[in-house]
Amino acid sequence: PIQIHSHYTTGLAGQSYLKGIEAGADIVDCAISPFAMATSQPCTETMVAALKGTPYDTGIDLEALNAVAQFFIPVREKALESGLLDAKVMGVDVNALIYQLPGGMISNMVSQLKQANMLDRYQEVLKEVPQVRADLGYPPLVTPTSQIVGTQAVFNVMMGRYVQCTKETKALVKGEYGRASVPISDEIKQLIIGDEPTINCRPADLIEPQMAKFREEIKEYTQQEEDVLSYAIFPQVALDFFKWRKEQQENKV
């Protein structure tokens, strides 16, 4: 199945979903209305209503969805009061169109600025993002490189341009994430990694084969080949899950 996931930051996700559905998409990610739109996903109820009576009718009961929404309205209010949700990211932000920022990237930047008590410099960070992206060779603004660019932009505004760099920014400049779309200038390299060597080959070629090692490390928890892959990518999270799964299965016996 083809699944579409988008954020509503620019106000265009609903239209994108409809065109995607018409083009053959099978699944669209939505959120219940109290937590929908803005940097979240399009509203579930709205999409259900928009598709009603069309060849793509979901058959989902709007009244049932409304009951779910009513339950979460006070939860949303508490989240806003506590600061867990920030009103700054709860609306459409055209800056995402101007600066080409993904919704998740914006919400992370706002969180970082709040923690540093520098939310008043939000616009400066937005303007810094395209410059950082250009400096780093135009990495795609998707996870993880979007977060690398966004965090470095925050650091640049807070402390000065490349005065402090994250280890991920350094890794990106070294070539650990692959070759940059556009060569990174020697000046930027000097600012970020100094005289440290860069990788000029496929980064994965420098890693020794590890699958046999991973299989051995989790052999008591392995139930399927995918378990080994999960452990290779997310070692601690996967191991915690495998232990929990084993415990649940043993308790059922």
Side-chain angles (χ1 to χ4, degrees):
I2 297 174
Q3 182 169 351
I4 303 177
H5 176 90
S6 185
H7 296 261
Y8 210 84
T9 318
T10 64
L12 296 174
Q15 295 95 308
S16 299
Y17 276 14
L18 287 173
K19 299 309 290 185
I21 290 167
E22 290 172 358
D26 303 289
I27 304 166
V28 291
D29 291 345
C30 299
I32 203 70
S33 55
F35 292 105
M37 301 191 289
T39 55
S40 182
Q41 280 67 57
C43 175
T44 305
E45 301 97 306
T46 302
M47 293 305 301
V48 168
L51 297 171
K52 189 175 179 62
T54 74
Y56 315 106
D57 195 325
T58 65
I60 298 174
D61 183 358
L62 270 175
E63 291 293 335
L65 288 176
N66 187 48
V68 174
Q70 293 302 312
F71 174 84
F72 280 107
I73 287 174
V75 177
R76 177 182 184 272
E77 295 308 309
K78 286 183 180 179
L80 283 168
E81 290 172 9
S82 68
L84 184 63
L85 282 179
D86 192 298
K88 184 176 282 290
V89 296
M90 295 302 288
V92 169
D93 190 343
V94 294
N95 285 306
L97 291 171
I98 297 171
Y99 299 114
Q100 299 292 297
L101 306 182
M105 186 175 173
I106 289 178
S107 55
N108 278 352
M109 288 194 306
V110 168
S111 176
Q112 290 169 341
L113 288 170
K114 281 182 68 177
Q115 290 174 16
N117 198 29
M118 296 179 67
L119 198 53
D120 58 313
R121 304 189 71 180
Y122 175 63
Q123 291 296 325
E124 291 180 62
V125 174
L126 289 180
K127 292 177 181 178
E128 179 66 11
V129 167
Q131 183 59 57
V132 171
R133 189 183 183 210
D135 290 345
L136 301 184
Y138 290 97
L141 292 182
V142 294
T143 302
T145 48
S146 61
Q147 304 306 330
I148 294 172
V149 170
T151 299
Q152 191 59 54
V154 171
F155 277 24
N156 285 1
V157 169
M158 289 169 57
M159 306 170 196
R161 303 201 77 242
Y162 303 114
V163 170
Q164 182 172 334
C165 299
T166 67
K167 64 179 182 180
E168 291 81 10
T169 297
K170 292 179 180 180
L172 184 64
V173 172
K174 287 179 184 177
E176 292 180 17
Y177 288 85
R179 184 183 301 167
S181 301
V182 175
I184 300 171
S185 72
D186 291 338
E187 179 186 358
I188 293 297
K189 287 180 182 177
Q190 187 63 38
L191 281 172
I192 295 175
I193 61 171
D195 296 324
E196 292 185 47
T198 57
I199 297 171
N200 298 308
C201 63
R202 179 174 174 268
D205 291 341
L206 303 176
I207 302 174
E208 293 293 327
Q210 295 178 305
M211 289 303 287
K213 169 175 163 286
F214 293 145
R215 285 193 180 92
E216 179 63 25
E217 288 177 354
I218 63 162
K219 61 183 180 182
E220 66 175 297
Y221 300 109
T222 304
Q223 297 183 8
Q224 54 195 353
E225 185 67 12
E226 287 83 354
D227 289 345
V228 182
L229 295 175
S230 296
Y231 178 70
I233 300 170
F234 308 108
Q236 190 55 57
V237 174
L239 187 57
D240 289 344
F241 169 73
F242 298 152
K243 290 178 179 178
W244 175 85
R245 181 179 64 186
K246 184 178 181 181
E247 183 180 319
Q248 295 298 308
Q249 291 170 342
E250 289 174 349
N251 288 339
K252 287 182 179 179
V253 176

